[in-house]
Amino acid sequence: MSDPLRLGIAGLGTVGAGVLRIVRQKTALMRARTGREIVISAVSARDRNRDRGVPIGDYAWEDDAVALAKRDDVDIFVELIGGENGPAKAATEAALNAGKDVVTANKALLAHHGQALAELAEAKGAVLRFEAAVAGGIPVIKTLTEALAGNDITRVMGVMNGTCNYILTRMEDAGLSYEEAFAEADGLGYLEADPNLDVGGIDAGHKLSILAAIAFGTQVNFDAVELEGIGRVTIEDIRQAADMGYRIKLLGVSRMTGRGLEQSMAPCLVPETSPLGQLQGGTNMVVIDGDQVGQIVLRGAGAGAGPTASAVMGDILDIARGTRVATFGQPATSLRAAKPARAATPVPYYLRMALLDKPGALAKVATALGDAGISINRMRQYDHVTDTAPVLIVTHKTTQESLDAALAAMGKTGVVDGEPVALRIEEV
Amino acid sequence: MSDPLRLGIAGLGTVGAGVLRIVRQKTALMRARTGREIVISAVSARDRNRDRGVPIGDYAWEDDAVALAKRDDVDIFVELIGGENGPAKAATEAALNAGKDVVTANKALLAHHGQALAELAEAKGAVLRFEAAVAGGIPVIKTLTEALAGNDITRVMGVMNGTCNYILTRMEDAGLSYEEAFAEADGLGYLEADPNLDVGGIDAGHKLSILAAIAFGTQVNFDAVELEGIGRVTIEDIRQAADMGYRIKLLGVSRMTGRGLEQSMAPCLVPETSPLGQLQGGTNMVVIDGDQVGQIVLRGAGAGAGPTASAVMGDILDIARGTRVATFGQPATSLRAAKPARAATPVPYYLRMALLDKPGALAKVATALGDAGISINRMRQYDHVTDTAPVLIVTHKTTQESLDAALAAMGKTGVVDGEPVALRIEEV
């Protein structure tokens, strides 16, 4: 048997405690599967005395995560602190600089500094792994990086924020308003301290930017993700979508096109009979299209101590077995800086707007669409509500550029009250 | 850059031709992802002159797969011949004996000889990989062996024969009889030369036995899989199941219990709203429950040149990257010979029988169940069809043992015509 593999774990929240528990309880299982003893040398967290339901007295303690990362008795630095900067970044850099392998669950860190960290890891001959950073327990990083390595990936998409999916599901199932469903999720403790990370799509956008880098061999570029949160989705949109056979999901979609790399995280309509349409509650799903494999769908818990710790352990055990794969699946220096392309692939759109009660109003809207080269698949106008009438339109496939032109033209007609809602329809 | 990785490919059917095509077309992609050149040294097949849509003149030819497996210019022997014995087995053994790594898509070979081959590979320091053997392009072997290695697996189950799922879906959607749907699948070329491999559950049983070995650290034991094909499922069963919110699938289920290892491949009822219930047509799905990760669902194409070749390439590229994992996830000599347990876990059952028109008939059936300790959840009797009346029963959870006792007692009542149909209900 080889030498023990020694972990240093920084961050002892629910995930960190989960990892501790697995390492303590599954000694024999891990030894059988890797041929090595997995041990914990040292831990670090903000509060040494908090009760975590698992004893930490057996391990050396460090107040400072950077000091932990540099310890001679640590082979793998396990970063579970979180946050894109601060100690998480400093300690990860310190570990890599010392040539130590790093396993992290930190999507913000990877989304903002993934390229630099991958280059550092490569220069030092270290491995940087992050299965837990995207979609919790779902092995999507491994699937994209390893299992599907013989494919050119044509699209990667997914529902990767369980809180948003919970809110949208509750709006649909219980007829709650966005505000009511948000309050319910908040009461259940589902929301981040800054709720905009969830409902603004930032957290899910981080994850999408990481998947896109692996799928398309490009440098992570979170800043180029087109972000739109779920705050403007109304119960009316959900009902209308359902009536037409669709459900609304906060969906991340990335494709490589002739015009550049598309990365969009926004509410979208998906067919209700599709796997994405069937996804209820807090569960996550990633859908990968490859030129050889066709479509692979992966579904599971996107958060929680157990699922996230499962992904962290998968990375640790891979390293224990001697598996060493480049951070984003190929040398960091070979990742291209892709030009961002704004939704270049034509898709159908769902539009909702409030039409003022003026003669010829509907014709003006239809003309604005026609002038932009957009043809209408379905259109419905409803009874007037006070001064305005709700109008719903489903277009045939069109580009974001054409749609923007049509929306600008509509704005000038003087018959549309406020901003129309425009949601992409992603056929699956 | 390291030396080129040299393949010898035996078997040039649709999958073999698919692998050839990928290796020829994706040179740059594979080099970027593995740091190595992947080349083909030699090929072998039954007929050298058949048009495969891809040229083979660049490669050395061997009439004999065993000779191919032994060639000095072959690093990985790729076995795509098929069949549990014959040249597939002989050549795989020859390659392993020569210390060469082997990648195969051959489920029958693994199901029947997996333990011996894993021991041979281990003794010779060779790697034996087989992602393509189970569920085509779905990365279920990698997920179980690597991604979920930090979990104790509690259940693995799946729909792993697309032909059976196609037949059952067509019965449900188009109201076809089993015979009609079978004939349709046959006309589309979906059936194996020996159709019993598909509809008898043998092919899917091979796959389940492989998954169970990895999930539970046991020696592959296909002979212990309880096999029941789909030939006795009637359109009436499908309608009744639908009426109660279920769909019928040929479902493989494996669990480790206190009484031993359960392995069952049989038609089962699953909730129609579950991912398994939603699975239509030829698609495959595997559902894995782990003590940490919760439930992971993987969905994709279970057959076809592209998806199967994708899985074969994933294995080849892993080897190119230097990944070396034990055949079934742990040393072959440490795999236990688990005692087979026949469906020890209590589940609800669906029963259908034809009741003779005799006084007290229904009471006798109910008594037989009650005497075996089985309580009834739902029961329906329908109008008499000629001499018999269809009776449907859904039981509460019970063991196969109790059910067998009840069925034996029913047989002696003289009121049941023929053999009752009994299908497990697998809650998801």
Side-chain angles (χ1 to χ4, degrees):
Chain A
M1 181 156 316
S2 316
D3 289 339
L5 183 72
R6 301 163 302 173
L7 313 180
I9 302 179
L12 296 173
T14 53
V15 176
V19 171
L20 238 67
R21 201 170 293 117
I22 296 175
V23 173
R24 293 174 68 90
Q25 289 173 356
K26 294 186 191 279
T27 313
L29 185 82
M30 296 187 305
R31 195 193 303 121
R33 290 179 177 169
T34 67
R36 296 182 75 174
E37 209 76 36
I38 313 288
V39 300
I40 298 168
S41 293
V43 297
S44 168
R46 264 184 304 207
D47 178 358
R48 186 168 187 172
N49 298 312
R50 189 159 74 86
D51 179 15
R52 298 175 168 91
V54 49
I56 60 170
D58 297 349
Y59 319 119
W61 174 270
E62 295 279 0
D63 286 317
D64 177 12
V66 172
L68 179 76
K70 291 178 174 172
R71 284 177 68 101
D72 286 340
D73 60 357
V74 165
D75 301 312
I76 302 183
F77 176 65
V78 183
E79 189 279 297
L80 303 171
I81 304 167
E84 70 186 73
N85 291 304
K89 176 160 178 272
T92 297
E93 288 171 344
L96 295 174
N97 268 312
K100 294 182 196 301
D101 297 333
V102 173
V103 172
T104 176
N106 191 331
K107 59 218 104 174
L109 179 71
L110 266 294
H112 288 281
H113 309 295
Q115 180 64 24
L117 292 172
E119 289 179 15
L120 177 58
E122 206 162 291
K124 299 292 179 179
V127 162
L128 170 60
R129 297 188 68 110
F130 48 89
E131 183 64 81
V134 180
I138 302 176
V140 57
I141 301 296
K142 182 174 271 289
T143 296
L144 262 182
T145 313
E146 302 173 25
L148 304 184
N151 286 261
D152 282 283
I153 302 300
T154 53
R155 179 179 64 178
V156 56
M157 64 179 179
V159 169
M160 295 180 281
N161 182 282
T163 304
C164 286
N165 205 47
Y166 177 84
I167 289 173
L168 293 170
T169 301
R170 288 292 292 160
M171 289 172 72
E172 175 160 352
D173 289 353
L176 302 182
S177 71
Y178 171 74
E179 290 73 18
E180 289 165 341
F182 179 96
E184 189 179 281
D186 200 17
L188 291 165
Y190 289 178
L191 283 155
E192 301 263 1
D194 172 6
N196 198 42
L197 287 175
D198 287 314
V199 298
I202 296 168
D203 164 85
H206 286 154
K207 296 168 185 167
L208 183 71
S209 69
I210 295 169
L211 294 185
I214 301 169
F216 304 112
T218 54
Q219 298 180 6
V220 187
N221 189 356
F222 168 69
D223 292 335
V225 177
E226 291 175 63
L227 281 183
E228 187 185 330
I230 61 171
R232 288 186 69 205
V233 176
T234 65
I235 178 69
E236 200 51 37
D237 293 322
I238 287 176
R239 288 199 184 118
Q240 292 299 338
D243 201 37
M244 297 185 294
Y246 293 100
R247 289 211 169 102
I248 298 180
K249 302 288 173 190
L250 177 66
L251 187 69
V253 183
S254 182
R255 289 185 187 86
M256 183 59 76
T257 74
R259 295 167 59 180
L261 178 64
E262 282 181 26
Q263 297 182 92
S264 150
M265 179 59 67
C268 288
L269 277 66
V270 294
E272 66 184 356
T273 55
S274 67
L276 282 168
Q278 293 288 323
L279 192 71
Q280 300 284 298
T283 312
N284 281 19
M285 181 176 284
V286 181
V287 179
I288 305 167
D289 292 304
D291 66 341
Q292 301 300 321
V293 78
Q295 188 170 88
I296 293 287
V297 180
L298 310 174
R299 179 187 196 275
T308 311
S310 165
V312 170
M313 290 311 302
D315 283 344
I316 291 171
L317 298 176
D318 269 355
I319 293 173
R321 282 166 161 162
T323 299
R324 300 189 80 75
V325 177
T327 308
F328 293 103
Q330 62 185 67
T333 44
S334 74
L335 297 164
R336 289 174 300 130
K339 195 180 85 176
R342 182 151 184 253
T345 308
V347 293
Y349 282 84
Y350 162 93
L351 306 176
R352 175 176 54 80
M353 63 199 78
L355 213 58
L356 294 169
D357 187 10
K358 295 183 179 178
L362 199 57
K364 285 179 183 168
V365 165
T367 302
L369 287 165
D371 287 351
I374 300 172
S375 58
I376 294 172
N377 180 349
R378 286 187 263 187
M379 181 186 255
R380 294 178 187 176
Q381 182 183 326
Y382 292 86
D383 269 358
H384 283 72
V385 183
T386 64
D387 287 348
T388 63
V391 170
L392 301 167
I393 296 170
V394 173
T395 74
H396 283 292
K397 285 187 184 180
T398 181
T399 61
Q400 182 78 45
E401 201 176 339
S402 301
L403 186 76
D404 288 346
L407 292 173
M410 276 181 211
K412 292 179 188 150
T413 58
V415 301
V416 178
D417 189 36
E419 284 282 306
V421 167
L423 303 178
R424 292 156 58 97
I425 300 179
E426 195 74 31
E427 299 295 347
V428 179
Chain B
M1 179 154 321
S2 316
D3 289 340
L5 183 72
R6 301 163 302 173
L7 312 179
I9 302 178
L12 296 174
T14 52
V15 177
V19 171
L20 237 68
R21 201 170 291 117
I22 296 175
V23 173
R24 293 174 69 89
Q25 289 173 356
K26 294 187 191 279
T27 314
L29 184 83
M30 295 187 305
R31 195 193 303 121
R33 289 179 178 169
T34 68
R36 295 181 74 172
E37 209 76 36
I38 313 288
V39 299
I40 297 167
S41 294
V43 296
S44 167
R46 263 183 304 208
D47 177 0
R48 186 169 186 171
N49 298 312
R50 190 160 73 86
D51 179 14
R52 298 175 167 90
V54 49
I56 61 169
D58 297 349
Y59 319 119
W61 175 269
E62 296 280 359
D63 285 316
D64 177 13
V66 173
L68 179 75
K70 291 178 174 172
R71 284 177 68 102
D72 287 341
D73 60 358
V74 165
D75 301 312
I76 302 183
F77 176 65
V78 183
E79 189 279 296
L80 303 171
I81 303 166
E84 71 187 74
N85 290 305
K89 177 161 177 273
T92 297
E93 289 171 343
L96 294 174
N97 268 313
K100 295 183 197 299
D101 297 333
V102 173
V103 172
T104 176
N106 190 333
K107 59 218 102 174
L109 179 71
L110 267 294
H112 287 281
H113 310 295
Q115 180 63 25
L117 292 172
E119 289 179 14
L120 176 58
E122 207 162 291
K124 299 292 179 179
V127 162
L128 170 60
R129 297 188 68 109
F130 48 88
E131 183 64 81
V134 180
I138 303 176
V140 58
I141 301 297
K142 182 174 270 289
T143 296
L144 263 182
T145 314
E146 301 173 25
L148 304 183
N151 286 261
D152 282 283
I153 303 299
T154 52
R155 179 179 63 179
V156 57
M157 64 179 180
V159 169
M160 295 181 281
N161 182 283
T163 304
C164 287
N165 206 46
Y166 177 84
I167 289 173
L168 293 171
T169 301
R170 288 293 292 160
M171 288 173 72
E172 174 160 352
D173 289 353
L176 303 183
S177 70
Y178 171 75
E179 289 72 19
E180 289 165 338
F182 179 96
E184 190 179 282
D186 200 18
L188 290 164
Y190 288 178
L191 283 156
E192 302 264 0
D194 172 6
N196 198 41
L197 287 176
D198 288 314
V199 298
I202 297 168
D203 164 85
H206 286 153
K207 296 168 184 167
L208 182 72
S209 70
I210 296 169
L211 294 185
I214 301 169
F216 304 112
T218 54
Q219 297 180 7
V220 187
N221 189 354
F222 167 69
D223 292 334
V225 178
E226 290 175 64
L227 281 182
E228 187 185 330
I230 61 171
R232 287 186 69 203
V233 176
T234 65
I235 179 70
E236 200 51 38
D237 293 323
I238 288 176
R239 287 199 185 117
Q240 291 299 338
D243 202 37
M244 297 185 293
Y246 292 99
R247 289 211 169 102
I248 298 180
K249 302 288 173 190
L250 177 65
L251 186 69
V253 183
S254 182
R255 290 185 187 86
M256 183 59 76
T257 75
R259 295 168 59 182
L261 178 65
E262 281 181 26
Q263 298 182 91
S264 150
M265 179 59 67
C268 288
L269 277 67
V270 294
E272 67 184 357
T273 55
S274 68
L276 282 167
Q278 293 288 322
L279 192 71
Q280 301 284 298
T283 311
N284 282 19
M285 181 176 285
V286 181
V287 179
I288 304 167
D289 292 304
D291 66 341
Q292 301 300 322
V293 78
Q295 188 170 88
I296 293 286
V297 180
L298 311 174
R299 180 188 196 274
T308 311
S310 166
V312 169
M313 290 310 303
D315 282 345
I316 291 170
L317 297 176
D318 269 355
I319 293 173
R321 281 166 161 161
T323 299
R324 301 189 80 75
V325 177
T327 307
F328 293 102
Q330 62 185 68
T333 44
S334 74
L335 296 163
R336 289 176 300 131
K339 195 180 85 177
R342 183 153 183 249
T345 308
V347 293
Y349 282 84
Y350 162 94
L351 307 176
R352 175 175 54 80
M353 63 199 77
L355 214 57
L356 294 170
D357 187 10
K358 295 183 180 177
L362 199 57
K364 285 179 183 168
V365 165
T367 302
L369 287 165
D371 287 351
I374 300 173
S375 59
I376 294 172
N377 180 349
R378 287 186 262 186
M379 181 186 256
R380 295 177 187 177
Q381 182 184 325
Y382 293 87
D383 269 357
H384 283 72
V385 184
T386 64
D387 287 346
T388 64
V391 170
L392 302 167
I393 297 170
V394 173
T395 73
H396 283 293
K397 284 187 184 180
T398 182
T399 61
Q400 182 78 45
E401 201 176 339
S402 300
L403 187 75
D404 288 347
L407 291 173
M410 276 181 211
K412 293 179 188 151
T413 58
V415 300
V416 178
D417 190 36
E419 284 283 305
V421 167
L423 304 178
R424 292 156 58 97
I425 301 179
E426 195 72 32
E427 300 293 346
V428 179

